Amino acid sequence: NQGCYWVDVIPEVHKHLDMCAYRAKSCIYSEYGCTALIQQGKIESHLRDNCNEHMLQLLEQVRKCTLLLEKRNLEIESLAVRNLELEATLKQRTKHLQTQLDAVETGSMIRAEGITWVIHDVVQRVQDKAKIWGPHFYVDGYKFQIMLAFGYEDNAFLALFLCLVRGERDQDLQWPFYLDKEKFMFSLRKSLGAEVTLLTVTTSEANIENFRRPESSRN
């Protein structure tokens, strides 16, 4: 080391280097910005003489760490919001897929122009006076379900019931529900292709309980 006149045998050089006052070392505040190289014997005086500068360097590092922490917190908040959005999208798509699966299981096909509900064993259902429920579907945000009653009033009628179902967006909708005839047209088709269009659809009125917001699973 420059300025050192130590003389001894070579095996002792490593011991000397550890304690040599002339050995150049970096300041203990180098990681915070101090670039000084100080002889080992002058470290204490360097720390004493540059105390204020070292404190300013520490404060600057604290400021940078604070800004970095704030940035990370904003990124975490942004990711949390994005995660909620993705969860909502996943939930919505899952419900949509479940609706389609239910439609497949009940023999229904949901299309853009409406719903086709395929019903098997009609004769047996009429004899059993069965009641069956179709898949859920949405119109303008309102959730519906159709119920068919076979053998209604001593097998004289096939009854069709349009039911309002409690949905996820009910709090955002206007109540009571107003039924638009143009959006609810029903047709009955036989397997051979013959079709009978049912044009008679009831209108909605404020005093009809079935058109008010469902308080149970469905009206």
Side-chain angles (χ1 to χ4, degrees), residues 1 3 35 40 48 54-55 58 61 65 86 91 93 95 120 137 141 151 162 187-188 190 193 195 208 218:
N1 296 314
T35 58
Q40 192 163 235
R48 183 175 59 253
H54 290 155
M55 291 303 102
L58 282 174
Q61 289 299 315
C65 289
L86 291 174
K91 185 177 181 181
R93 291 182 178 179
K95 288 184 177 180
H120 303 283
F137 62 95
L162 176 65
S187 62
L188 178 64
K190 296 182 180 180
E195 178 177 341
I208 298 180
R218 58 175 172 252

Side-chain angles (χ1 to χ4, degrees), residues 151-194:
Y152 195 68
E153 294 188 1
D154 298 326
N155 297 338
F157 299 97
L158 169 65
L160 183 149
F161 297 89
L162 176 65
C163 301
L164 271 169
V165 180
R166 186 166 58 190
E168 297 75 12
R169 296 179 53 193
D170 286 355
Q171 69 276 6
D172 301 324
L173 302 174
Q174 293 184 354
W175 299 97
F177 165 74
Y178 174 75
L179 191 150
D180 186 347
K181 287 186 177 182
E182 294 182 358
K183 294 183 178 180
F184 291 91
M185 301 296 294
F186 302 91
S187 62
L188 178 64
R189 299 180 182 180
K190 296 182 180 180
S191 59
L192 296 179

Side-chain angles (χ1 to χ4, degrees), residues 70-89:
E70 291 176 352
K71 180 180 179 181
R72 292 293 182 265
N73 287 336
L74 290 176
E75 291 175 351
I76 291 173
E77 292 176 1
S78 177
L79 289 173
V81 172
R82 179 57 177 162
N83 185 58
L84 290 176
E85 293 174 349
L86 291 174
E87 286 182 355
T89 301

